[in-house]
Structure formats: C-alpha cells, structure tokens
Amino acid sequence: MMNMAEQILPAAEMERTGGKGEPVIRLENVYKTYDLGEIQVQALRGVSLEVMAGEFVAVMGPSGSGKSTVMNILGCLDRPTKGRYFLDGVDVSGMSKDELARIRNKKLGFVFQQFNLLSRTSALENVELPTVYAGIKPEERTRRAMESLRRVGLADRAGHHPSQLSGGQQQRVAIARGLVNQPAILLADEPTGNLDSRTSIEIMEILQTLNEEQGLTIVLVTHEPDIAQFTKRNLEFRDGKLKRDRLVEERLNAREVLKAMPTAEEEAAEDAGAAGGAGTGAG
Amino acid sequence: MDFMNTFRLALRALARNKMRSALTMLGIVIGVGAVIAVVSIGQGAQYIVQQGIQAMGTNAVFIAAGSNRAGGVRQGYGGVKTLTVDDMNAILAEIPLIKQAAPALTSRQQVVYGDQNWNTAITGTTPNYFDIRTWPVQAGSVFSNEEVDLAANVCVIGTTVARILFGTDDPIGKTMRIGNLPFRVDGVLESKGQNVNGQDQDDVIFAPYTTVQRKISGITWLQFIAASAVSQEASVAAVAPITSLLRERHRIRAGSDDDFMIRTQADIADLQNQTQSTMTMLLGGIASVSLVVGGIGIMNIMLVSVTERTREIGVRMAVGATEKDVRMQFLVEAVTLSMMGGAIGIILGLIGSMLIANLLQWPTLISGKAVVAAVIFSTLVGVIFGYYPAHKAAQLDPIEALRYE
C-alpha cells in the first residue's frame, strides 16, 4: 500500500472551505467530563474547531485521546459539559433529548464500524429507517431510499437482507441510510474498521465521490493514517485536546488506488496475507 | 412514527421469534380462555336458577303467617293463628296493586293408593293458586271454586306423587286416600323439577283449602297467602300497604313485631344478585391471577427482547427515534402479544364452553360481557406489564446501546 502516497489530488487544498462562509460545525471551547463516581474523567479539555460545508475531515488519535467523545458530541448523541456546539448555525449544546433526536434525524447521517444494519430487514427498509422517524409518507420513503441506494451503487440489492450482502455492501447500505434524509454532515465512525484493505478503499471511493461530486460534508474517525490520507483535512487528538489540524497534502484518490491494486483473485493467487493494513484490528 | 408503522414493526418483531411469542401468549391464552369457559358455565347455571325463580310465579308476593313473639318466644312461620281468608279478601278488596290471591295451608299426611303409600305435603288452596304460580295441569283439570266452597274431597297431584302411587296407571278420576279420607284425583300438574334449594317441587298434593282446614288439619287459619301483583314493580310497592293493612287487622300496636312475613319476587332476585356478585368476584379473582401471571411472562420476555435488541435501539435512536418512539415500539409489541393472546383465549374459551355444553350436557351461556372484559383486561395487562420494559428501552443511552455487544 505504500505506493498510495504517490497519488495526489491537486485540487484538494483549494476545495478545503467548499466556498461557503458559514461553518457547518463550530465547537467553542468544548469540555466533556465523565463522572465515574470516585474519579472524574476529562475526555475533552477545551476543544474548538470549525468544519465548513463540503469538507472531508478525518478525526484521528489513539484510544483515550477524546476522538470518540468528540464524535459523540458532533453526532448529537452526547452533550458537552461546558462550551458550545453550533450545528448548521444552530446552538445544539443545550437541547433536550427529543430535540437532539430530531436534529440527528434531519441534519446528521451515521456510518458505524459494525455497519449496525437491522438484521432480517431488507436493504431498502434499512435505508428507509431514518425517513420513518422523519414522518415521511411511505411512497416517498421508498422513493428516497431507492435514490439513496442508487448513490452507493446498490439499487439492485434493495431486497437483500444484510446476511445476504458482503461486508462492503453492508457498509454501503449503511452509507445510503446515512444519506437518505439529506443530512448536513455524514459522520463515519471507523467505517473501514471491519473491512479488508481493498473493500476499505472501495468505501473511501464512495465517500470521496459523495464529497467531491455532491458536496457532502463528511467527518470520519479513524486511527489509520492510510485511510486519513484519502480525506482533505486531518484533526489529531491527544489527551482530550486538538493537537494538530492540518490539510492533507498528498491526498490519495481512491479510484486511482483501486486501479493500481491487485484484484481479490490475484491476491488469493499470490496467497498474500494482505489483510494487514486497513483490514483488521480496529477498536 | 405513525401507529400503523409501529404496529407492523411489532408484528414483524414477534414473528421473528414465533416459538417465544407463542409461549409468552400462552399465559394470557389460558387465563382468558379459562375465564370465558368458566363464566359461560356460571352463566348457564344462573340461567337455570333464574328459570326456577320465574317458576315461582312472576310478580308474586308471599305472605306467611308467623314470627309472632309471645312472651319473648318467637314461633316459626305458620305458627300463629291470625292469618285468615278474611285477611286475604281484605287485601284483594283494598289494595288494587294485588290482582290475585290464594290462601294456603299445608299438612303432612300419609297417602295411599292400592298397595302403594307415601308421605307427602297436602296444601289446601283455591284454583287461583295455580295461576299465581303459573303452574298448569298436564292432565285432567284443577278443582273448581264450587268444590272449594263445598269442601269437596278432590285433589290435584304432582308428577312425583303420581309416579309413586299410580305408577303406569292413569290417576285421573281415581280415588286415593289422604289420611283417612278418600279423595278423587282431578288432575296431574306439570313437572317443575327441583326448586332453587334442591327440593322436589313435584312431590305435592293440592286440595281445596276448606277441605284441608276442616277435614284434615282441623284449623280455621292459614299458613300463608300467595298473591300476585299487577306488575313486578307493584309487587314491591304492595309490601307497605299490605303490612299496614294486616297490622291494623291483627291489631298490632306500634312498636310490636309483625305476626307475618312478606316476601316478594324482588327479594328473591336480590338474594340471587348477591350470589351472582359473589360468583363474579370469585371469577374475577381467578381471572386476575391468571392474567397477572401471563403479564409477568410478557414482561419477562419483553425485558429479554430489549436486552437482545439493545444495538437495534441504539441505531434507531442514532437515526432519529425519540424516547417516545422507542417506548411506543416496545409497548405496542407487548400489547400486541397480550391482545393476540386474549383473542386466541376468547376463541378457545368459546370452543371449550361449547364442548362442555355438548359433551357434559351442562348448560352454558356465552357472555358478551365476559368477552368484552377479556379484551379490555388482556389489553391492560399488555400496557401495564409492557410499560416497564418499554420505558427501560427508551431510557437507553444511544452511545452505550450502539457499543453493546
């Protein structure tokens, strides 16, 4: 995978702000403290950051760095102990649980490491799930879900259940589910953590396409530098603080990388234990 | 999320664990089914009791002599000598609520026909008595008012007496002996079967009251008067005027006890209602025990289900389900379980009571009220026992739930 570094996307840096003035995400001096009875854990200690529309950001850091906590707060699954969070211009840091549920439904799309699709439920119905809670009428739900599946190239698998799909396909269904309510941001938590390296790059290809061609803002958590290299900007966390905020200079283009990669059959023939890299060991 | 969606979701979730859902429902099925079956048997029994009370004559008012205190000693019914035919005539004349009345006095006698003999009660009365008690003859006829005036030796017998004394012979026109006197049998009454207390109502002989007073008992008074009011309400309304009339006629001073006792159909109905409510309470007790047991089963399975589906709950919350959405989802699932159990229970209960009716020849009466109550109760059980698991699901933290293995 080392040759990936040579694939550079020239336009990456100028696309960084996406051309819009208002940030989609703005964290202002956010603290998060977990009260575990006897001890208090400070997961975030004064994080401030902005993400503009059209950005593709990787949140990185070792475990315990606070990257999961920041993702939970960005995802409106958790509230900051102190500080403010503006999502799409709205202060959500003081919202009630129900209000947050509505925000998650309308403004956010989630992609998880374990896919988290409902078992024994068709891909189409899985993708429909957020529209159900948005109170959209059944015909419109199906229409949107099909459209969403088309965007990830799985329209022909609409009736399949998760158990009938490969890991990569399941993750694409999950991405389609994340897109169906036309969110302001797609949040992906280690989306390639459970996938082999080739499938991982396929997923990154979809995310890159969505970002570049459809202007979708994506925030992705990963601990793999290789994966972060496909994004436009890397935020590195350590000890609950944002330590480094840098633009990706030698950005990889997933489509190019895939072309250069051996196919699954070739790999099998070589009997290469190439599952390392982006494949396993995610936490 | 709209209701139909939630309901469809619930059905699908239940269909995923068919065996488990069926076993969980079984508790409710058995509870509801048993209640429906037992209630229809109970109602059948009650229907028979009601028929029995009807058989005593509608709108009937019974005035029994007795309850006179003489120096602190009360005599039983019929033990006093103050109730007379004149009293009866006065009631008929002065109380328009009463349309018919018949005197009655009873004496136990040995009766003989051919080589058969029997001991039974001879009741002296008038032909009106049979109207009041709606008790026609099945053969022959009732003695006439002329025969009453003449104190004739004629009688009407019940089917039990007819069977014991006459066997296969036709008793009509035959002469039998009551005590030491010969009596001609004019008619055989229709069978009334057992009364509410289990006594054989067909083991009776009726004769003119004049005959019984003068020739058998040797008394001039009556033991009771059977009367009938113009309506059921009138039978209750007539109690007060009859009481004051008889107290006046018997010269009972204010503050003294009556020397008679009046009972109406309504009293008997009251008694029956009491029995009925005791029965209902008993059944209600059984029902609630079995439904509570079924409900605990539902709660148990729903708790397991919430734990199993923690990840699903997390996903739903992440994509926008509110606490209320999640709570409703699990609540509807629990209620669907209990209502389906209730519905199957009702069907099985109805089939069960029909089987009992056919196989055991027990009377059953399917109660609409019991069916409605079963539906309401099984729904309530679902809501009450489903609430806690549903609440627990709704209170899950989405982050924890998504991380749950």
Side-chain angles (χ1 to χ4, degrees), chain A residues 72 77-78 97-98 101-102 104-105 110 112 114 116 118-121 125 129-130 132-133 141 177, chain B residues 1 5 12 16 311-312 315-323 325 329 395 397-399 402-403 405:
Chain A
N72 288 338
L77 292 165
D78 209 346
K97 284 185 180 178
D98 279 3
R102 225 150 282 142
R104 288 197 296 269
N105 184 241
F110 287 91
F112 305 97
Q114 294 95 341
N116 278 335
L118 303 187
S119 59
R120 285 184 271 186
T121 306
E125 283 172 297
L129 195 62
V132 170
Y133 292 108
R141 288 209 296 256
R177 180 180 65 191
Chain B
M1 183 136 91
N5 234 307
R12 198 192 296 181
R16 249 170 227 174
R311 279 282 277 273
E312 177 193 326
V315 172
R316 287 180 182 278
M317 284 178 157
V319 303
T322 58
E323 286 182 12
D325 288 329
Q329 181 187 340
Q395 291 301 310
D397 174 16
I399 300 167
L402 282 167
R403 223 181 276 149
E405 295 296 333

Side-chain angles (χ1 to χ4, degrees), chain B residues 200-222:
Chain B
D200 181 0
Q201 299 182 88
D202 299 321
D203 186 12
V204 284
I205 299 176
F206 291 97
Y209 80 96
T210 45
T211 314
V212 177
Q213 273 187 333
R214 293 171 207 167
K215 297 180 180 172
I216 295 176
S217 299
I219 56 171
T220 55
W221 59 88
L222 299 174

